[in-house]
Amino acid sequence: MMSEQNQLVIVDPALMTKSGHHSALADQVVKGSLGRFPPNTAVSYIVHRDLNFDIEKNLIESNINLIRHFDLDFYYIFEKNVSLLESSEYIFELCNQYTECFLKFKDTNVTYFHPSMSWEHALALALALFQMKANNRIKHVVCLMFNPGIDYRGVCYDSDLSIKYQIALKSLMEAECIEIYVTDFESQLSYSNLLFKESFEIHPSYVVDLNSSKEICLQSDRYIILYLGEAKLEKGFDKLPDLLLELLKNSRLHSTFYIQYTDDWGGSEIKEIVSKIKSIEKKYSNVVVDGCYIDDDAMTSLLLSAQCVFFNYDEEIYKNKSSGLLWKACAADAPVVLFNDRSWLYRESSRLKATVFMFGEAFSEELNKPQKFISCNDDIYGRTIFGDFIFWLKNRLF
């Protein structure tokens, strides 16, 4: 007798462009569709209507049922000081769009996977589930990634934000079909403090794929990597011209400096910075600037062979904010260069026992004297973060 078919439905209203953690998840699901999900499992992906064509092509060619559905900006309210009343129209429209996509899969064994939910999406999802009849053949797996206004010490630094997360998540947790997971050690502490809950389980990072990295060829060049990914000011993209010139003046550094970026939104400020770094590239043979998208395997290859990777991220913004690139660098055992010891980046590097250089006047000498963390944590945390995400997701199926 054939077993009943299960449905895995990834619901990602933010999947549009080929950058960031939303795109990284799509890459993992594409790889997972190649014989790693059970044969009786159908995989669907519900995304934004403005999805990038290349992502669409990869998903369809992997026999994944692609549904362009959402038309709201996932980050419309995110990190904005907007009241519940002011956000109500957005949340109710989002609730309707969640409800519409769930109706496509009624009367079957369905596991919905929701990556990186913010408070407004959690509240919209809670309202959608409240409107629908309870069904014991449906499960929603929710991952919490964004900080809810409580830091890793349990100190509330944004009471308005924490109240919004409390309201949304308590509403969501009333649904019997919900399983909630968090992305890392600090989010585990923050959400546990927020909801007075003993602990949430940490899920493996979906931006890291150690299974495929075993088959990736190393780069012949060992670059000092100054930037990888979407061009963002908060990640220090605007500081690259001055940083690059400073490093080039250092005669002790006989290395090639590598910058890779994508610019999906075409802002004038980013274009001006790109012009500056490209003019530097023309003058120096040991500077490589790549303005094209690189896939996950190519990025992993770069990180596996990197001399070191710079993280000149905004100290205040990343005080309690995580970075997928840091996880990828640590998973590849690439030494990381940090500019302060007061951010999540430094604390997470410690937990993952990374090799860290602190940037300063003596940086060239520090290259030979890295700080190798001896963490109070054992290897369990690293094995959790860098675990097999597809295997984990497969075990969450209905």
Side-chain angles (χ1 to χ4, degrees):
M1 179 178 177
M2 289 185 65
S3 59
E4 187 174 6
Q5 187 179 58
N6 293 324
Q7 291 267 4
L8 168 62
V9 183
I10 295 97
V11 184
D12 192 353
L15 182 58
M16 295 171 62
T17 63
K18 293 196 300 180
S19 61
H21 61 272
H22 301 282
S23 174
L25 172 61
D27 286 342
Q28 282 262 38
V29 174
V30 165
K31 293 175 184 177
S33 68
L34 304 175
R36 298 197 61 208
F37 289 119
N40 64 329
T41 301
V43 182
S44 298
Y45 222 120
I46 304 180
V47 302
H48 196 278
R49 289 181 184 175
D50 294 332
L51 178 69
N52 174 276
F53 174 76
D54 291 332
I55 300 177
E56 177 184 56
K57 183 172 178 286
N58 288 338
L59 290 170
I60 292 174
E61 288 180 351
S62 302
N63 294 319
I64 293 169
N65 175 32
L66 178 69
I67 302 172
R68 291 175 178 263
H69 176 70
F70 294 94
D71 61 7
L72 295 176
D73 177 2
F74 183 93
Y75 293 103
Y76 179 68
I77 291 175
F78 183 69
E79 292 186 339
K80 295 181 178 70
N81 187 20
V82 180
S83 70
L84 279 169
L85 181 61
E86 292 170 317
S87 59
S88 59
E89 184 177 348
Y90 175 87
I91 290 170
F92 283 124
E93 177 56 33
L94 186 57
C95 164
N96 291 334
Q97 293 192 17
Y98 275 125
T99 302
E100 288 167 4
C101 73
F102 299 151
L103 291 173
K104 301 176 190 295
F105 298 94
K106 59 184 179 180
D107 300 326
T108 185
N109 292 344
V110 188
T111 302
Y112 294 98
F113 177 70
H114 304 269
S116 61
M117 287 204 114
S118 53
W119 71 266
E120 62 271 25
H121 282 257
L123 185 53
L125 175 59
L127 291 171
L129 295 181
F130 180 76
Q131 290 182 158
M132 301 182 71
K133 292 181 180 179
N135 188 332
N136 60 7
R137 302 173 70 190
I138 291 176
K139 183 198 302 186
H140 292 265
V141 177
V142 173
C143 290
L144 302 177
M145 170 183 180
F146 306 115
N147 190 283
I150 297 178
D151 70 16
Y152 68 102
R153 300 164 299 174
V155 176
C156 179
Y157 64 88
D158 189 333
S159 57
D160 181 61
L161 183 63
S162 65
I163 289 170
K164 290 171 183 172
Y165 269 99
Q166 270 191 332
I167 292 170
L169 294 175
K170 284 184 177 179
S171 301
L172 189 58
M173 290 167 69
E174 289 181 3
E176 295 181 359
C177 55
I178 292 291
E179 292 182 7
I180 295 179
Y181 300 87
V182 293
T183 55
D184 67 316
F185 177 79
E186 294 194 11
S187 61
Q188 185 182 58
L189 290 178
S190 296
Y191 281 106
S192 295
N193 278 299
L194 177 80
L195 299 167
F196 308 105
K197 191 179 185 306
E198 186 173 332
S199 187
F200 287 101
E201 184 181 328
I202 298 172
H203 68 84
S205 171
Y206 49 72
V207 304
V208 175
D209 184 9
L210 292 181
N211 289 290
S212 66
S213 67
K214 296 171 186 175
E215 304 166 6
I216 290 172
C217 296
L218 293 178
Q219 288 276 129
S220 57
D221 296 307
R222 297 197 69 225
Y223 296 129
I224 289 181
I225 297 176
L226 300 184
Y227 200 93
L228 287 177
E230 185 179 349
K232 290 185 176 182
L233 302 185
E234 69 182 47
K235 295 184 177 182
F237 194 77
D238 56 326
K239 300 180 178 70
L240 283 174
D242 290 341
L243 175 62
L244 191 51
L245 289 172
E246 182 181 351
L247 292 170
L248 288 165
K249 289 176 185 176
N250 193 324
S251 59
R252 295 189 186 94
L253 293 175
H254 303 290
S255 303
T256 299
F257 300 101
Y258 180 83
I259 294 170
Q260 180 272 330
Y261 70 93
T262 57
D263 180 18
D264 295 314
W265 313 111
S268 58
E269 190 171 7
I270 296 298
K271 291 185 184 303
E272 184 179 341
I273 298 163
V274 168
S275 177
K276 289 180 180 178
I277 60 177
K278 285 190 173 180
S279 67
I280 297 172
E281 180 189 24
K282 290 177 182 177
K283 297 176 183 176
Y284 294 90
S285 60
N286 61 332
V287 175
V288 177
V289 180
D290 184 357
C292 298
Y293 168 80
I294 59 173
D295 64 23
D296 188 65
D297 287 348
M299 185 175 289
T300 300
S301 177
L302 281 165
L303 293 170
L304 284 168
S305 54
Q307 189 173 344
C308 57
V309 185
F310 276 56
F311 289 87
N312 194 8
Y313 287 14
D314 185 282
E315 177 186 334
E316 189 61 30
I317 292 175
Y318 280 86
K319 185 183 293 183
N320 297 295
K321 185 175 182 178
S322 60
S323 162
L325 181 59
L326 182 83
W327 281 326
K328 291 176 79 72
C330 291
D333 204 23
V336 300
V337 179
L338 303 179
F339 286 68
N340 66 78
D341 60 1
R342 296 173 295 279
S343 70
W344 175 92
L345 299 162
Y346 184 86
R347 298 190 299 270
E348 187 74 350
S349 298
S350 172
R351 284 185 287 269
L352 294 171
K353 303 181 181 179
T355 300
V356 173
F357 303 109
M358 299 306 296
F359 185 79
E361 292 180 1
F363 172 67
S364 61
E365 290 154 19
E366 289 178 15
L367 276 171
N368 298 315
K369 298 178 182 178
Q371 179 177 357
K372 181 68 175 178
F373 284 116
I374 306 300
S375 175
C376 60
N377 293 285
D378 58 23
D379 290 333
I380 293 175
Y381 181 62
R383 288 200 299 270
T384 301
I385 293 292
F386 301 142
D388 187 332
F389 173 77
I390 293 299
F391 179 78
W392 176 88
L393 185 57
K394 183 171 66 174
N395 287 335
R396 305 278 86 72
L397 292 178
F398 192 90

